[in-house]
Amino acid sequence: MNRPIYVTKPFLPPLEEYTESLRKIWGSGILTNGGPFHDAFEASLAKHLGVEHVSLVCNATIGLILALQALRIEGEVITTPYTFVATAHSLLWTNNTPVFVDIDPVTLNLDPCQIEAAITPHTRAILPVHCYGNPCAVEQIQEIADNYNLRVIYDAAHAFGVEHRGQSVLKLGDVSVLSFHATKMFNTFEGGAIISPDAKTKRRIDKLKNFGFVSETVVAASGINGKMSEVSAAMGLLQLDYADHVRQRRQAVDARYRQGLEGLAGIEFLHYHADTTANFAYFPIFVGDDAPIDRDNLHDRLRQRNIFTRRYFYPIVPDLQIYKRFEATVGNQLSVARNKANQVLCLPIYPDLGDDEQDAIIANIRKAF
Ligand code: T4K
């Protein structure tokens, strides 16, 4: 390829539309701290997602920290090893101990059958990730949480617009956290949102994201600065108008890959459950032992041709030096997660990806095989 193709390229609305919003911000002089764009985006986003209680934040990492703080989680938290480091980092920032439990080989999410064995008297919560926007085993996780009186905080960084059985996945568990980072299917440059189950939890999060201020002179908790600025909120508000278009384009890219790569020996795709309305946030392939080329060679070979795939999520979090002390406590010692991390390659997927570019990616993979 002459032009590099990256794993993603942010969708941007027409510049003139955004300039119009900037003009308003320039006119008002309100740049942050819950301005008119913040409030308008928060309300429109809730409507778009089909949820009630949304708190915008500056990014999902802070969002996860705020969610854990708001629910007063302190102790051991069961989470997945197969995720971006931010999931586990949020636990360390809140003085929690991550307990890594292996994933299911099909969903790539926390294996619900292995959760109970990891529960101890110190367990306070479960922090699952809807990895690649593929919903977790939500019913089983909730049943375990109810039986053991645990809270469930979903890292829904990838799950914008995803539905399970016709309902937003963001309504499940105690709290869900979305990411609107530039690399996500819905972006506000940087940003995110916390979905609360009730107005009381939202109010607490809204205070915590503003340093814990209750009034000008009263600070109720050691909150943080987690606010979304007006330029990001204005971007989010515009992006909502294009969210359906973005999803449709992604779906088309997903379908073209599945068709183009069909029949290659040793390659596997992500399978969505029949109950899932997917958002096509990522297109991971898994290069198995029976493939004629290994994952890293394929990655390097594509890179030489200006195609930049990513190994999300390699290495698994507990294999990072700083997490080695939190060794796996149960089951098969994370062998599924480690195996998948060794096989995964996320292919470029974004609305602007041209058919010719995608066909070149497919042709290069076929040639490598
Ligand atoms: N939980 C989960 C499960 C997550 O995946 C993430 C973040 C979080 C929590 C935390 O969310 P935030 O706090 O970030 O809201 C990226 C993102 O930085 C990160 O948000 C994301 N997950 C993670 C999976 O990927 P990198 O290091 O891969 O990004 P980078 O800069 O290498 O970008 C990848 C490609 O995207 C580039 O090669 C080109 C393209 N790109 C990137 C940026 C930033 C653009 O075209 N424009 C851009 O502005 O981490």
Side-chain angles (χ1 to χ4, degrees), residues 6 8 10 60-61 83-84 155 157-158 179 181-184 310 312:
Y6 298 108
T8 189
T61 310
T83 182
F84 190 58
D155 180 337
H158 305 170
S179 170
H181 183 259
T183 55
K184 295 294 187 293
R310 291 299 287 262
Y312 299 133

Side-chain angles (χ1 to χ4, degrees), residues 125-187:
I126 309 173
L127 175 57
V129 178
H130 300 299
C131 194
Y132 308 129
N134 199 23
C136 296
V138 290
E139 283 93 5
Q140 282 161 283
I141 288 173
Q142 196 57 55
E143 199 181 319
I144 296 166
D146 290 344
N147 285 344
Y148 290 88
N149 197 20
L150 305 176
R151 312 305 290 268
V152 182
I153 297 112
Y154 278 110
D155 180 337
H158 305 170
F160 184 94
V162 172
E163 290 180 357
H164 172 71
R165 300 195 168 155
Q167 268 221 340
S168 170
V169 286
L170 305 170
K171 283 186 164 175
L172 303 164
D174 290 289
V175 176
S176 292
V177 180
L178 285 165
S179 170
F180 303 152
H181 183 259
T183 55
K184 295 294 187 293
M185 65 169 296
F186 182 94
N187 87 81

